[in-house]
Amino acid sequence: MGTTAKKTVLITGCRRGIGRDAALALARRGHRVLATTHTAKAAAELGRLAAAERLPLESFKLDVTDTDDRERARDHDIDVLVNNAAVGISGSLVEVPLDLVRKSFEVNLLGPLALTQLVLRQMIGRDSGTVIFVSSLAGRITMPFMAPYTMTKFAISSGAETLRSELERLGSRVNVCLVEPGAYHTGFNQEMLAGKYTWMGRESYFRKLLAEIQAGEEKYFRRMEQRSTASIVRQVVRAAEVERPRMRYTAPWWQALGVRLMRAAGR
Ligand SMILES: NC(=O)c1ccc[n+]([C@@H]2O[C@H](COP(=O)([O-])OP(=O)(O)OC[C@H]3O[C@@H](n4cnc5c(N)ncnc54)[C@H](OP(=O)(O)O)[C@@H]3O)[C@@H](O)[C@H]2O)c1
């Protein structure tokens, strides 16, 4: 891994997908990785995999919504925190049960913010470290029937920018940045899209449009989703390793460009 300093990196939500692939990539580059998972079972499975490859990777349960679990981060001197865990909850904002919106904000915003505050106490004291928030390109443009999820990504993106400027005002050398993935085939999108049809059914304002909506979403994600997470994992690794990360790291490039063009056109 050349001259890059070895760091201790804590990542949330590593059972599969981007979190797991980034954890393995960072460990293979020699960093000490604390690859945390929602459940103890997933931690044990990941731990076995890392042991078989003799990777410097430990795994333990860290449910981001659980105060006691978050406290476990205090046991480690963390150089890089990667807030990756999230739930995908979709559905019409006109009628979504508010408990689902609450859950989405608990997992995607409030849990990560509480964990970040806890880890920042160490980092600010030491005057070094990087906090990465895995947000989304969907945190920059809206999409119908996705708001219970995308509102949390808009919120975390604006929170990350604010944290960065507040730390700059403190004269701190602690970094805050965003990784904004486009669409990747991890299973996340399929679970997110399907979930809403458990409550968005015969009573929905959109009942006559449901088949059309579902077919459109499936077609969109089939076309857009990247089969491999490699391009976004490279961005996580880059953000974790550089001394002064930029504000945003995006991939795939053509989806990021598309979002920038839509924003420039007034969206
Ligand atoms: N895939 C995409 O197209 C895409 C696009 C833009 C942004 N993203 C973002 O990328 C990140 C990773 O997503 P992914 O695609 O890799 O999906 P994923 O494989 O479903 O990853 C999400 C992870 O979060 C974990 N998680 C859920 N609730 C948790 C909790 N309370 N505490 C701790 N962990 C929890 C899940 O564990 P369990 O499954 O065990 O609950 C899972 O391992 C997310 O922040 C997502 O919003 C993904």
Side-chain angles (χ1 to χ4, degrees), residues 17-256:
I18 296 167
R20 178 185 131 119
D21 293 350
L24 291 172
L26 285 159
R28 286 177 186 138
R29 290 173 69 81
H31 298 291
R32 174 174 173 245
V33 179
L34 307 167
T36 69
T37 55
H38 192 184
T39 63
K41 182 169 174 267
E45 278 165 17
L46 189 52
R48 274 195 293 277
L49 183 89
E53 231 192 282
R54 294 175 185 275
L55 291 174
L57 182 151
E58 298 160 44
S59 192
F60 57 88
K61 171 182 176 284
L62 196 167
D63 176 340
V64 295
T65 65
D66 185 305
T67 311
D68 293 338
D69 280 4
R70 288 194 304 262
E71 286 291 320
R72 300 186 67 186
R74 277 191 213 281
D75 300 340
H76 304 274
D77 242 343
I78 297 165
D79 298 306
V80 181
L81 168 65
V82 184
N83 286 300
N84 166 75
V87 283
I89 296 175
S90 67
S92 141
L93 208 49
V94 189
E95 57 204 348
V96 61
L98 287 187
D99 278 349
L100 291 180
V101 180
R102 228 169 255 129
K103 178 178 177 191
S104 192
F105 273 90
E106 287 292 342
V107 179
N108 298 2
L109 179 75
L110 295 171
L113 180 58
L115 180 63
T116 297
Q117 287 184 339
L118 188 148
V119 173
L120 274 177
R121 253 169 257 144
Q122 296 181 357
M123 290 182 174
I124 292 171
R126 230 179 33 224
D127 202 23
S128 72
T130 295
V131 179
I132 300 171
F133 290 94
V134 180
S135 182
S136 174
L137 289 177
R140 287 207 242 168
I141 45 154
T142 58
M143 283 186 274
F145 311 113
M146 298 272 268
Y149 169 68
T150 58
M151 289 191 302
T152 68
K153 295 301 189 180
F154 270 77
I156 205 80
S157 291
S158 90
E161 278 191 46
T162 308
L163 265 179
R164 184 173 168 117
S165 54
E166 286 178 0
L167 287 166
E168 277 167 10
R169 285 282 290 275
L170 269 185
S172 166
R173 282 189 298 189
V174 175
N175 305 302
V176 177
C177 68
L178 285 168
V179 169
E180 298 172 305
Y184 286 85
H185 189 68
T186 60
F188 183 88
N189 295 316
Q190 287 66 30
E191 287 172 15
M192 170 163 67
L193 297 175
K196 65 176 167 297
Y197 299 111
T198 58
W199 55 268
M200 212 175 144
R202 273 204 295 273
E203 307 292 313
S204 168
Y205 290 109
F206 298 92
R207 60 189 169 275
K208 291 192 179 135
L209 297 173
L210 289 181
E212 189 188 310
I213 291 168
Q214 196 168 4
E217 287 171 345
E218 280 169 14
K219 190 171 163 205
Y220 174 83
F221 280 98
R222 232 186 353 264
R223 278 216 314 255
M224 299 294 275
E225 274 189 337
Q226 305 294 290
R227 304 306 297 184
S228 156
T229 61
S231 56
I232 197 68
V233 165
R234 268 198 301 279
Q235 301 300 323
V236 176
V237 169
R238 194 169 292 163
E241 287 185 348
V242 293
E243 198 153 318
R244 250 344 246 163
R246 343 184 264 266
M247 182 68 239
R248 291 169 195 282
Y249 292 83
T250 56
W253 68 267
W254 57 275
Q255 290 182 23

